[in-house]
Amino acid sequence: MINFITKMMQNYRKIIHIDMDCFYAAVERLDNNNLAGKAIVVGHDSDRGVVSTASYEARRYGVHSAQSIRMAKRLCPNLLIIEPRFERYKEISNKIHNIFHRYTDLIEPISIDEAFLDVTQNKKGIELASDIAKEIKASIHDELGLTASAGVSYCKLLAKIASDYNKPDGLCIIHPDNAIEFLDKLKVEDLWLVGHKTALELHSLGIFKVRQLRNQSLSTLSRLFGKRGQLFYDYARGIDDSPVEARNDRKSVSCESTFAQDLSLKSNVIIELYHITLELVNRLDKSDFSGHTLTLKVKYADFTQVTRSLTCATPLTSKDTILPLAKVLLQKVEINASHPIRLMGLGVSCCDDKPQNKLLSKPKQEEPQLPFAEY
Ligand code: TTP
Ligand code: MG
């Protein structure tokens, strides 16, 4: 029996999830000692500016990511607003990934400050994933002057939940033997795929805790949530077989702009489209990326949003190829005074059947970037 258990244990994967603490704000503090201990946010200081992140001092006042700067100032009168410096954040993100690569190349970036690492087989032959997590945290601290939180477990779901558990500067390990006990403490909204709407649906059925979710049969969950039902059933049991997928190839490059004033005149929208195209071409060039699918995103003043895409045979790399296609996509979008436009984004992505030959021949680390993220 003991041999059987030992064998089972050996088959468990060892996964680490790392998430930097207050990432943009921490980098700003690193570069400016005067910001130490102060309530700061990173974002554009304008009427329409949005908080990218807030220091913990600011969070105490209720300031948080995605809030308007105006509201943040109201909540925290002494708030300092720092203009974002994305190039600097990417530079630090690359250095963090260089530290990860000392242990494994099986790294899945989730965003600029967050990644999964599969260290089951690692370059240093270290047995305990928790030892690797400690070393990574120490290197990030000693070499870069920043703190990270780490979660360690046998699957991505629990590693991610663990890294959130003791933030900031946390380390939390969920051993397979303790997984169910750990899950029992959690609310359903702590699980992946349980957003606000799903949480409300579950609450209406009297299901608030993961423990209660586990009592539901697979057929009930599948009937209520379709394909997600199976996932909820598995997650409640600590089952998540999804692999850590190393991404050497970028999936997309995009950029977007929130206008100083909402636009309803087509001529103004076309001028903005021109500027966004130039910025997109600049980003494509810098990242050595080309794709075949162009996507236009339009967000209206009432925050409704539409996207329009087209795929073409020619790689989309230059203004001369992208701008005419972007205008074609714009034709498919409503523009009028009763529905003014607040934000427009343009992105190029790869088609799944067209591999990124450029990147395959010249592997390079991905700069994690969410398509169209309002960051
Ligand atoms: P997060 O990891 O979500 O947040 P954080 O690192 O600032 O704080 P925490 O300690 O809770 O992890 O996001 C990483 C960075 O991404 C964040 O520093 C700024 C940026 N970001 C935005 O620009 N907009 C957003 O809405 C969010 C959530 C993050
Ligand atoms: Mg973070």
Side-chain angles (χ1 to χ4, degrees):
M1 183 64 180
I2 288 179
N3 275 348
F4 174 70
I5 292 172
T6 312
K7 189 146 186 6
M8 284 285 294
M9 290 296 300
Q10 282 166 352
N11 287 338
Y12 280 120
R13 291 178 297 155
K14 295 174 184 178
I15 300 194
I16 302 176
H17 180 258
I18 302 274
D19 184 354
M20 300 300 295
D21 302 320
C22 289
F23 185 51
Y24 291 3
V27 173
E28 293 305 331
R29 278 190 171 160
L30 185 69
D31 294 347
N32 181 354
N33 288 335
N34 295 331
L35 302 179
K38 300 210 170 122
I40 65 169
V41 293
V42 176
H44 296 294
D45 190 1
S46 71
D47 269 1
R48 299 165 71 86
V50 173
V51 174
S52 287
T53 193
S55 67
Y56 284 92
E57 291 80 356
R59 291 183 196 193
R60 267 178 229 130
Y61 290 82
V63 175
H64 59 77
S65 295
Q67 193 171 54
S68 71
I69 292 278
R70 208 190 295 175
M71 170 62 87
K73 280 182 182 171
R74 215 176 291 154
L75 291 169
C76 179
N78 295 328
L79 194 66
L80 295 175
I81 319 246
I82 315 290
E83 196 63 21
R85 295 179 302 147
F86 299 111
E87 291 305 317
R88 178 76 174 130
Y89 310 141
K90 281 186 203 158
E91 184 190 336
I92 300 276
S93 177
N94 287 341
K95 288 185 179 168
I96 295 166
H97 276 251
N98 289 342
I99 293 175
F100 296 161
H101 277 286
R102 293 174 194 165
Y103 299 89
T104 180
D105 293 327
L106 207 40
I107 300 166
E108 182 176 336
I110 302 301
S111 73
I112 193 161
D113 81 327
E114 204 184 316
F116 287 107
L117 285 67
D118 187 327
V119 294
T120 317
Q121 309 288 331
N122 60 81
K123 294 181 185 176
K124 298 197 178 192
I126 299 174
E127 193 185 341
L128 295 181
S130 53
D131 284 342
I132 297 179
K134 281 179 203 158
E135 282 191 24
I136 289 176
K137 275 169 58 67
S139 301
I140 290 175
H141 182 265
D142 299 349
E143 296 171 32
L144 306 178
L146 295 169
T147 64
S149 294
V152 179
S153 198
Y154 61 91
C155 64
K156 282 162 68 174
L157 171 78
L158 289 173
K160 163 91 177 146
I161 290 173
S163 75
D164 263 349
Y165 203 67
N166 289 328
K167 251 183 175 300
D169 201 14
L171 172 64
C172 173
I173 299 143
I174 306 180
H175 191 272
D177 288 348
N178 306 330
I180 295 295
E181 193 188 329
F182 195 93
L183 282 162
D184 277 351
K185 292 185 280 195
L186 302 180
K187 292 185 270 188
V188 283
E189 41 271 66
D190 292 328
L191 296 178
W192 274 340
L193 303 179
V194 183
H196 183 62
K197 199 168 152 242
T198 307
L200 288 181
E201 276 176 82
L202 287 166
H203 294 173
S204 71
L205 300 165
I207 304 168
F208 296 87
K209 302 288 241 176
V210 174
R211 183 171 39 80
Q212 296 167 312
L213 185 64
R214 198 178 311 117
N215 291 334
Q216 306 303 311
S217 69
L218 177 56
S219 59
T220 303
L221 292 175
S222 300
R223 183 170 41 80
L224 292 170
F225 299 105
K227 281 187 185 159
R228 284 183 308 153
Q230 173 75 59
L231 291 172
F232 294 159
Y233 183 85
D234 288 345
Y235 291 168
R237 288 159 178 75
I239 298 169
D240 165 33
D241 294 330
S242 61
V244 173
E245 289 178 302
R247 292 193 206 140
N248 293 321
D249 56 336
R250 237 177 198 278
K251 295 275 192 285
S252 67
V253 169
S254 61
C255 68
E256 64 181 37
S257 172
T258 304
F259 308 132
Q261 286 177 341
D262 299 334
L263 300 180
S264 51
L265 269 184
K266 191 162 182 189
S267 52
N268 290 340
V269 178
I270 290 175
I271 293 169
E272 291 298 337
L273 190 67
Y274 176 81
H275 291 299
I276 294 170
T277 304
L278 291 188
E279 176 57 25
L280 177 64
V281 170
N282 183 23
R283 290 189 187 187
L284 288 166
D285 188 41
K286 271 194 191 161
S287 54
D288 198 16
F289 178 91
S290 76
H292 293 258
T293 300
L294 185 69
T295 302
L296 173 75
K297 177 175 93 165
V298 168
K299 193 186 263 184
Y300 293 99
D302 61 6
F303 281 84
T304 54
Q305 183 176 304
V306 292
T307 57
R308 298 286 179 264
S309 294
L310 56 77
T311 299
C312 65
T314 338
L316 299 165
T317 48
S318 69
K319 184 192 89 190
D320 292 343
T321 47
I322 294 175
L323 189 57
L325 295 173
K327 287 182 181 168
V328 169
L329 292 175
L330 193 64
Q331 299 288 349
K332 301 181 182 179
V333 167
E334 184 193 354
I335 306 172
N336 60 48
S338 63
H339 213 188
I341 297 177
R342 170 188 164 85
L343 170 155
M344 197 157 60
L346 198 60
V348 169
S349 54
C350 326
C351 311
D352 289 334
D353 56 344
K354 290 196 176 70
Q356 275 294 291
N357 294 328
K358 269 184 177 179
L359 290 177
L360 290 179
S361 58
K362 185 184 159 195
K364 70 176 200 182
Q365 196 178 314
E366 186 191 17
E367 293 165 1
Q369 185 184 347
L370 296 171
F372 294 126
E374 264 189 275
Y375 291 177

